[in-house]
Amino acid sequence: MTAQLMTGTDLAKDSLDRSARRTRDLLRETGVRPCLATVLVGEDLGSVTYVAMKRNRCATAGIDSRHVPLPVATTTAELVATVRALSDDPSVHGILLQHPVPAHIDERAAFEAIDPAKDVDGVTMWSFAAMAFGHLGFASCTPGGIMRLLDAYGVDPAGRRAVVVGRSPILGKPMGMLLLARDATVTYCHSKTVDLPAIVATVDIVVAAVGRPRFIKGRDIKPGAVVIDAGYNPGNVGDVDFEGAMERASLLTPVPGGVGPMTIAVLLEQTVDAAVRHAASVAASR
Ligand code: NAP
């Protein structure tokens, strides 16, 4: 068997075009142009690049972005105050706090300073709870992008066994919740899991979110399974042994060009959603 590639590039482009159209419509109808605030603490090269990519995509879609760079020595209190000010600023519709932040900062405290109505990166506890309970809120962007990929390639998770390898708050945990919400039977694996390959071998959908190059071996994948590689390791290497998985899976995301482009696409979609909701609430209060 040779897997079909599940690429995210075209899908992300369609999404970007849709966000651009919705931005133009919103501006014409209400005078509101969506604005994403990006907050970056320190000058980590990877984070600088990610933020620049996100701002470039915003510019392409006609979305304003306001960048707030902070020195690496910023304290938790200073970061919380900065984020709160953006939460209170009516001209900002979405807030992205680039993570990870430097180790001396309480990242959770900084995330929780984001107004849930502006949490377009889906990082607050409120957003997580809303997603887990099936309420209207913003999904964590990478899991949200993976669900769009599954839908676009006709993969219905209902009734299927899925494993999520990784349980980070921004990726693994919300991923499992979104699959559960779509009626998959979900197992989480993590660093304390015993005999992880045997679990992977039994499932129809594998999501690898580990941060270890080629961690999931092709030989452990059930023939015909759908394999989503969310990993991104130095050298453009994913968390799945790509060549091995190509021989066993029915569908497989490449790295790069699979999950990655979808993450930014969802960030932009949710920024436009936030601006639309803001404009509607302003109109309703008149
Ligand atoms: P993370 O916070 O480091 O979490 C990694 C998870 O993997 C943890 O839950 C950890 O388990 C688990 N793990 C580590 N070693 C393991 C092992 N030997 N066996 C089983 N589980 C193990 O990483 P993350 O932020 O979720 O990111 C994961 C990967 O996704 C990275 O490659 C990252 O670059 C990529 N990523 C991509 C995007 C994108 O847009 N494409 C976005 C975000 C992240 P414990 O909880 O037990 O420690």
Side-chain angles (χ1 to χ4, degrees), residues 50 99 142 165-172 189-193 196 208-212 215 229-233 237-239 259-264:
Y50 280 133
H99 45 89
T142 304
V165 188
R167 56 175 170 179
S168 70
I170 53 131
L171 182 42
C189 291
H190 46 76
S191 65
K192 307 291 186 296
T193 298
L196 187 149
V210 198
R212 289 176 184 257
F215 182 78
D229 190 350
Y232 191 68
N233 304 292
V237 176
D239 286 352
V259 172
M262 295 306 297
T263 301
I264 298 186

Side-chain angles (χ1 to χ4, degrees), residues 1 29 31 51 53-54 70 75 87-88 90 96 124 141 147 155 171 186 192 197 230 235 251 281 285:
M1 171 179 291
E29 288 160 17
V51 170
M53 272 166 63
K54 288 165 186 174
L70 295 172
T75 63
S87 287
D88 291 340
L96 168 89
T124 62
C141 290
M147 295 311 290
V155 180
L171 182 42
V186 181
K192 307 291 186 296
L251 285 164
S281 77
S285 66

Side-chain angles (χ1 to χ4, degrees), residues 223-248:
V226 174
V227 179
I228 306 288
D229 190 350
Y232 191 68
N233 304 292
N236 275 345
V237 176
D239 286 352
V240 175
D241 154 32
F242 182 79
E243 288 76 20
M246 276 301 280
E247 290 175 14
R248 305 273 283 194

Side-chain angles (χ1 to χ4, degrees), residues 117-163:
K118 301 185 180 186
D119 181 20
V120 291
D121 201 24
V123 294
T124 62
M125 290 198 268
W126 193 95
S127 296
F128 186 87
M131 178 199 58
F133 283 96
H135 284 273
L136 194 66
F138 293 121
S140 190
C141 290
T142 304
I146 290 171
M147 295 311 290
R148 284 165 178 73
L149 265 173
L150 291 173
D151 286 340
Y153 283 83
V155 180
D156 181 2
R160 302 178 86 176
R161 278 174 298 174
V163 70

Side-chain angles (χ1 to χ4, degrees), residues 75-77 79-81 83-84 97-116 119 121-129 131 138 140 167-171 173-174:
T75 63
T76 298
L79 180 57
V80 165
V83 174
R84 280 218 181 102
L97 170 57
Q98 185 64 37
H99 45 89
V101 294
H104 66 274
I105 292 177
D106 178 348
E107 185 176 81
R108 182 47 45 201
F111 280 156
E112 294 309 315
I114 299 173
D115 176 348
D119 181 20
D121 201 24
V123 294
T124 62
M125 290 198 268
W126 193 95
S127 296
F128 186 87
M131 178 199 58
F138 293 121
S140 190
R167 56 175 170 179
S168 70
I170 53 131
L171 182 42
K173 271 194 190 125

Side-chain angles (χ1 to χ4, degrees), residues 24-102:
R24 279 196 301 274
D25 291 349
L26 184 69
L27 187 60
R28 194 184 56 249
E29 288 160 17
T30 69
V32 171
R33 183 186 289 281
C35 174
L36 175 71
T38 56
V39 181
L40 175 62
V41 186
E43 289 171 3
D44 171 77
L45 204 58
S47 295
V48 169
T49 310
Y50 280 133
V51 170
M53 272 166 63
K54 288 165 186 174
R55 299 190 69 216
N56 282 342
R57 294 290 194 291
C58 281
T60 307
I63 296 170
D64 272 343
S65 63
R66 186 188 305 173
H67 187 49
V68 185
L70 295 172
V72 70
T74 301
T75 63
T76 298
E78 288 164 344
L79 180 57
V80 165
T82 300
V83 174
R84 280 218 181 102
L86 294 168
S87 287
D88 291 340
D89 183 339
S91 65
V92 168
H93 307 110
I95 299 171
L96 168 89
L97 170 57
Q98 185 64 37
H99 45 89
V101 294

Side-chain angles (χ1 to χ4, degrees), residues 193-240:
T193 298
V194 176
D195 206 359
L196 187 149
I199 298 171
V200 170
T202 63
V203 302
D204 311 305
I205 300 172
V206 181
V207 180
V210 198
R212 289 176 184 257
R214 301 190 183 90
F215 182 78
I216 304 291
K217 306 295 177 217
R219 62 172 180 268
D220 297 328
I221 291 166
K222 180 177 162 184
V226 174
V227 179
I228 306 288
D229 190 350
Y232 191 68
N233 304 292
N236 275 345
V237 176
D239 286 352
V240 175

